[in-house]
Amino acid sequence: QVQLVESGGGLVQPGGSLRLSCVASRKIFSTNVMGWYRRAPGKQRELVATITSGDSTNYADSVKGRFTISRDNAQNTVYLQMNSLKPEDTAVYYCNVNYLLGTFWGQGTQVTVSS
């Protein structure tokens, strides 16, 4: 079993920034695909960003140019830097990590963008 713990969520005004972190209890290697997803109220969970082997990244169109996913394998951590936040970014954000033994999810961290 792998535990993922997210942190960094909170309340921020439109145009503000937040940095989410997700620490895994199991060693992360550069070959592990890692990602951030979100679920807004009344909506299905959607992909935000992924980072794959070789640090190749992929983003949802709605966050391109504003969000950046990165990883620190030595710290078993994946990050999501969120800039120029909008009210529509309000959601619970989840990280996931794909291992050979399965895919694991964190419990989520709430991000609220409001004035």
Side-chain angles (χ1 to χ4, degrees):
Q1 192 70 8
V2 178
Q3 306 297 323
L4 302 178
V5 179
E6 299 108 333
S7 62
L11 173 64
V12 64
Q13 293 187 340
S17 298
L18 285 174
R19 188 194 196 201
L20 306 183
S21 300
C22 173
V23 181
S25 62
R26 188 181 181 96
K27 174 63 181 170
I28 288 174
F29 297 93
S30 60
T31 52
N32 291 114
V33 177
M34 309 171 73
W36 286 95
Y37 293 72
R38 67 186 181 187
R39 177 178 285 146
K43 295 186 177 181
Q44 292 186 335
R45 186 167 59 192
E46 63 175 357
L47 170 70
V48 176
T50 59
I51 185 166
T52 61
S53 60
D55 288 346
S56 177
T57 58
N58 179 59
Y59 296 93
D61 288 342
S62 59
V63 307
K64 281 181 181 176
R66 300 188 298 122
F67 291 10
T68 302
I69 187 171
S70 61
R71 63 198 294 166
D72 184 339
N73 295 334
Q75 299 295 324
N76 300 328
T77 301
V78 60
Y79 302 98
L80 185 68
Q81 177 67 44
M82 304 185 296
N83 299 327
S84 302
L85 283 161
K86 304 175 180 180
E88 51 263 43
D89 294 318
T90 295
V92 178
Y93 285 70
Y94 302 87
C95 69
N96 84 344
V97 180
N98 294 278
Y99 292 91
L100 289 178
L101 56 82
T103 297
F104 298 89
W105 293 86
Q107 293 298 308
T109 184
Q110 176 70 46
V111 171
T112 302
V113 185
S114 175
S115 56

